Amino acid sequence: MGGTRASCKPLECFILFLLLLNCVICSKRPHELGQTGSNPTRSKSNQHGWNWNLLMNNTGVVAMHMAVTHHNKVVIFDQTNAGPSQYRLRKCKARGGSRESSCYAHSVEYNIVKNKVRALHLATDTWCSSGSFLSNGTLLQTGGNGSGSKKIRYYKPCQNNGCDWMESKKEMFVRRWYASSLSLPKENSVIVVGGQSAFSYEFVPKTSSKPYDLPFLHRTFERNSKGNNLYPILHLSNNGHLFIFANRDSILFDYKKRKVVKNFPKIPGNGARSYPSTGSSVILPLDYNDNFGKVEVMVCGGAARGSYTAAQRRRYLTGLRSCGRMVITGNRHKWRMENMPGPRIMSDMLVLPTGDILIINGAKRGCAGWGTASDPALEPYLYKPDNGPGKRFQTLKKTKIARLYHSSAVLLPDGRILVAGGNPNNRYIMHGVTHPTELRLQALTPDYMDPQFDDLRPKDVMVIYPRKAHGVENGRIFNVTFGLTNDSGNLSVVAYAPPFTTHSLSMNQRMLRLECLGLESGGGQDRVQASVVAPPSIYVAPPGFYMLTVVNGGVPSRSSWLRIL
Ligand SMILES: *[C@@H]1O[C@H](CO)[C@@H](O)[C@H](O)[C@H]1NC(C)=O
Ligand SMILES: *[C@@H]1O[C@H](CO)[C@@H](O)[C@H](O)[C@H]1NC(C)=O
Ligand SMILES: *[C@@H]1O[C@H](CO)[C@@H](O)[C@H](O)[C@H]1NC(C)=O
Ligand SMILES: *[C@@H]1O[C@H](CO)[C@@H](O)[C@H](O)[C@H]1NC(C)=O
Ligand SMILES: *[C@@H]1O[C@H](CO)[C@@H](O)[C@H](O)[C@H]1NC(C)=O
Ligand SMILES: *[C@@H]1O[C@H](CO)[C@@H](O)[C@H](O)[C@H]1NC(C)=O
């Protein structure tokens, strides 16, 4: 076994040795792990170990929209017509918007390492718009309000400070305000769905001469509630079909044939889950153990029936407490419901490298909109999907900062969660209101990032592509090297598609547990090399940049970028 780092039993070793030459399994199934005796997996997750840090007092602009690029910078932008932001530009830009607005930044790029922002320049209004990373890592942003409502903008991330927004001369067919977008399983292509008075979908770049009507959006529209179906939730299933959820309904949609493949049951409970009754959603981690065959959607929170009209009269109804989980693959579909520790609207949901789900931001009462919510939900929840019923939710440490309408959260490559934004006012109002415009930037550091777990933490993760390639193709094997001083016997490699977040949606977010074929020592003291199998298809993992993380005994590394071609 020279040079290998096995934690398996001799007989298994012998068999595996014959099969793989590398006598190690990276990730053991739970039933196998019991046999190894000691289990160094750190299971006692400690809610007090989660720490809040204030990073900046003034980001300058509200983080209505936020996304992490593969250059480890965070693109943040607001609307452009909310008057002066708190970031005055040295030079006013003459064109676009009112003069008042154009002397102020409405977008910034946050440098994670330097903890600084720099101004970016938007030409037209991005209010309540959508975005997706293209397969080449460029952020494609679509729509907004007014003159920006049909616009297509690009943000090509860069290492230095040389990149800025670019607006395309091409436009979308229809105005897309409160629309959602999703990156498709092909090169640099996005679908944009819905929006205020837009009951249709279209592709960027265009593949047709007109937008396509989507009857599902007509059917789920509630006139007296400002729609309750805006910003529809979109997930890509493992066969390339789209899961579309709006209000309380959902379908599986074959966008190539323009056909509804499945009508799922209505999610139980009163109220609704889409804007302005904003809930949130993730797909639970997809796993190589079942050949990525099971796709399970989770939807949490939302607003009570009649919340929008009640909020106009300053009555804030208690939000929904329930979450629903439904497997969208196979042919038996049923929402399995469970309650969060408290009611919640406008929360963000993030999938963590451990496979747990973080539910953060939002309020307990009311709905989305200007001044339509009260009682900030200050305590994040952690949800452990694999625990037994009743043992899945945990309440984490409270923050003092309210994050209401127009706030967002993203997972950073260094393991922290960046939390920003919040503005229930239609201008920048810093004083004299219950919930002022929120420009403070925070990081939430998970317990597992604490230095006390550094002995287990894999270090300096490097992704090695096949010969001179600049990425790896689906189904191909690639290598990952990292420092490992203490092999827990429970090692996993996960790939995470970073989302574009706005209005509680995390567009394109997905987590994949990858198959690890073996571990061998490689290059230097305590350095090991894992052979990892890239996800099998473009439907399981659309081409693009993923955050790759090695998790040893429940302790994740910092992430490196993996490009899937
Ligand atoms: C490995 O990690 C486990 C869990 O943290 C710890 O109990 C054990 O002492 C560590 N072993 C070594 C050799 O560092
Ligand atoms: C934010 O402002 C407070 C009060 O002025 C100050 O004490 C604190 O150091 C500032 N924090 C940062 C991160 O700038
Ligand atoms: C990615 O593709 C888009 C659309 O084709 C293009 O505008 C952009 O420049 C490309 N980005 C890079 C980094 O090549
Ligand atoms: C822009 O916002 C206003 C509300 O302030 C709305 O009435 C109008 O329809 C929106 N315009 C577009 C093009 O979306
Ligand atoms: C991965 O490592 C194995 C074993 O050292 C080697 O044979 C293979 O060529 C490597 N693959 C890549 C993509 O570097
Ligand atoms: C292995 O680690 C993962 C976290 O990466 C954890 O969810 C799982 O429970 C662990 N398995 C066992 C058997 O301890």
Side-chain angles (χ1 to χ4, degrees):
M1 279 182 38
T4 64
R5 326 183 111 252
S7 49
C8 43
K9 295 201 300 188
L11 181 62
E12 291 170 5
C13 279
F14 181 62
I15 295 164
L16 279 166
F17 189 79
L18 294 176
L19 288 176
L20 301 173
L21 299 176
N22 301 328
C23 169
V24 174
I25 23 183
C26 301
S27 175
K28 298 188 170 206
R29 304 303 244 311
H31 63 91
E32 292 169 320
L33 206 97
Q35 301 167 2
T36 58
S38 78
N39 176 359
T41 294
R42 198 186 45 78
S43 56
K44 294 172 292 295
S45 149
N46 178 0
Q47 67 201 74
H48 302 294
W50 290 68
N51 283 312
W52 287 97
N53 289 102
L54 181 64
L55 301 176
M56 289 181 75
N57 277 315
N58 181 16
T59 51
V61 311
V62 172
M64 185 191 296
H65 316 81
M66 187 154 75
V68 181
T69 75
H70 67 281
H71 283 294
N72 296 324
K73 312 267 177 66
V74 183
V75 180
I76 294 174
F77 61 100
D78 191 16
Q79 60 189 110
T80 64
N81 66 349
S85 69
Q86 295 284 308
Y87 193 132
R88 197 172 212 298
L89 297 172
R90 259 175 278 160
K91 270 198 218 149
C92 293
K93 279 231 157 183
R95 69 198 163 84
S98 67
R99 184 174 166 74
E100 183 194 50
S101 294
S102 57
C103 291
Y104 295 84
H106 302 288
S107 177
V108 292
E109 186 193 63
Y110 173 69
N111 185 316
I112 299 167
V113 177
K114 294 188 175 147
N115 192 38
K116 271 190 180 154
V117 292
R118 72 177 173 96
L120 303 176
H121 304 86
L122 287 161
T124 56
D125 196 6
T126 46
W127 183 14
C128 298
S129 57
S130 50
S132 286
F133 284 106
L134 296 175
S135 50
N136 66 12
T138 290
L139 180 64
L140 177 90
Q141 185 281 345
T142 38
N145 183 271
S147 63
S149 60
K150 287 185 182 177
K151 292 288 185 217
I152 298 166
R153 305 174 187 84
Y154 294 96
Y155 187 79
K156 208 189 278 189
C158 58
Q159 197 57 57
N160 52 24
N161 289 340
C163 40
D164 208 335
W165 287 104
M166 289 185 298
E167 215 167 79
S168 172
K169 289 197 180 68
K170 295 186 181 136
E171 296 199 328
M172 290 184 291
F173 289 116
V174 298
R175 297 174 165 178
R176 303 268 175 205
W177 191 38
Y178 295 91
S180 303
S181 82
L182 199 75
S183 199
L184 294 175
K186 60 191 232 187
E187 227 172 83
N188 300 332
S189 176
V190 161
I191 187 169
V192 191
V193 181
Q196 188 93 263
S197 310
F199 303 90
S200 65
Y201 63 96
E202 61 183 282
F203 300 93
V204 179
K206 289 192 169 111
T207 58
S208 63
S209 56
K210 58 174 182 42
Y212 296 111
D213 190 61
L214 187 58
F216 173 74
L217 293 177
H218 293 278
R219 172 157 74 81
T220 50
F221 184 74
E222 258 181 76
R223 190 167 304 278
N224 298 332
S225 308
K226 249 202 154 190
N228 269 348
N229 71 343
L230 297 177
Y231 270 130
I233 292 163
L234 306 177
H235 296 299
L236 180 70
S237 191
N238 60 2
N239 58 359
H241 293 162
L242 295 190
F243 173 82
I244 310 179
F245 180 105
N247 199 327
R248 286 177 56 193
D249 287 297
S250 49
I251 54 172
L252 195 68
F253 189 64
D254 181 341
Y255 64 89
K256 287 182 185 156
K257 294 191 177 143
R258 305 196 292 280
K259 251 177 59 184
V260 175
V261 182
K262 284 179 186 175
N263 276 291
F264 295 109
K266 214 181 253 309
I267 192 169
N270 260 319
R273 315 272 178 172
S274 305
Y275 183 93
S277 292
T278 306
S280 54
S281 173
V282 291
I283 33 180
L284 297 179
L286 286 92
D287 200 323
Y288 80 91
N289 271 310
D290 62 12
N291 204 19
F292 302 96
K294 183 171 111 181
V295 179
E296 188 171 10
V297 165
M298 183 173 182
V299 175
C300 286
R305 193 169 189 79
S307 279
Y308 185 76
T309 34
Q312 305 307 309
R313 301 192 305 270
R314 298 187 174 282
R315 273 184 58 232
Y316 305 109
L317 306 184
T318 302
L320 302 184
R321 202 184 174 125
S322 65
C323 294
R325 268 169 74 165
M326 180 172 62
V327 178
I328 62 167
T329 42
N331 43 31
R332 291 181 53 213
H333 309 291
K334 186 177 187 302
W335 287 102
R336 287 182 296 145
M337 305 303 293
E338 55 197 314
N339 276 339
M340 295 186 279
R344 205 150 189 151
I345 54 163
M346 295 191 288
S347 59
D348 288 283
M349 277 171 92
L350 295 173
V351 187
L352 303 176
T354 50
D356 295 341
I357 312 298
L358 181 70
I359 303 174
I360 191 168
N361 295 348
K364 295 177 185 162
R365 296 196 291 141
C367 66
W370 303 132
T372 50
S374 74
D375 291 275
L378 300 173
E379 292 159 330
Y381 303 141
L382 188 67
Y383 178 82
K384 295 177 176 289
D386 299 331
N387 280 6
K391 292 184 182 141
R392 295 181 185 143
F393 281 105
Q394 206 178 345
T395 302
L396 302 178
K397 196 185 280 174
K398 195 174 180 160
T399 170
K400 292 192 181 75
I401 302 180
R403 302 285 183 183
L404 300 171
Y405 193 41
H406 290 166
S407 62
S408 56
V410 290
L411 175 67
L412 296 179
D414 64 19
R416 296 175 301 164
I417 291 101
L418 194 70
V419 183
N423 190 10
N425 318 295
N426 60 6
R427 309 277 292 177
Y428 280 65
I429 301 179
M430 309 312 295
H431 305 282
V433 288
T434 318
H435 298 296
T437 302
E438 189 50 73
L439 296 172
R440 283 174 289 181
L441 183 70
Q442 282 173 296
L444 175 62
T445 307
D447 59 347
Y448 52 70
M449 294 315 290
D450 193 283
Q452 68 174 299
F453 303 116
D454 280 357
D455 64 331
L456 281 172
R457 194 178 323 282
K459 311 270 179 343
D460 307 318
V461 174
M462 279 172 63
V463 176
I464 298 161
Y465 298 129
R467 264 183 292 114
K468 302 225 167 107
H470 59 295
V472 63
E473 281 160 27
N474 291 105
R476 298 290 286 273
I477 295 169
F478 64 101
N479 291 334
V480 178
T481 70
F482 48 94
L484 186 69
T485 45
N486 188 342
D487 184 357
S488 73
N490 179 14
L491 201 120
S492 63
V493 178
V494 298
Y496 176 70
F500 174 89
T501 67
T502 188
H503 289 79
S504 302
L505 290 180
S506 294
M507 301 176 194
N508 301 293
Q509 174 174 238
R510 77 206 275 118
M511 174 72 79
L512 307 152
R513 292 198 179 103
L514 303 184
E515 183 178 9
C516 178
L517 295 176
L519 212 56
E520 57 180 271
S521 58
Q525 209 184 1
D526 294 330
R527 256 193 112 68
V528 296
Q529 174 172 288
S531 301
V532 181
V533 187
S537 77
I538 52 173
Y539 306 124
V540 168
F545 286 87
Y546 289 72
M547 279 163 53
L548 183 125
T549 313
V550 182
V551 188
N552 181 34
V555 178
S557 66
R558 290 178 172 75
S559 310
S560 290
W561 291 93
L562 164 71
R563 182 166 186 184
I564 296 180
L565 297 172

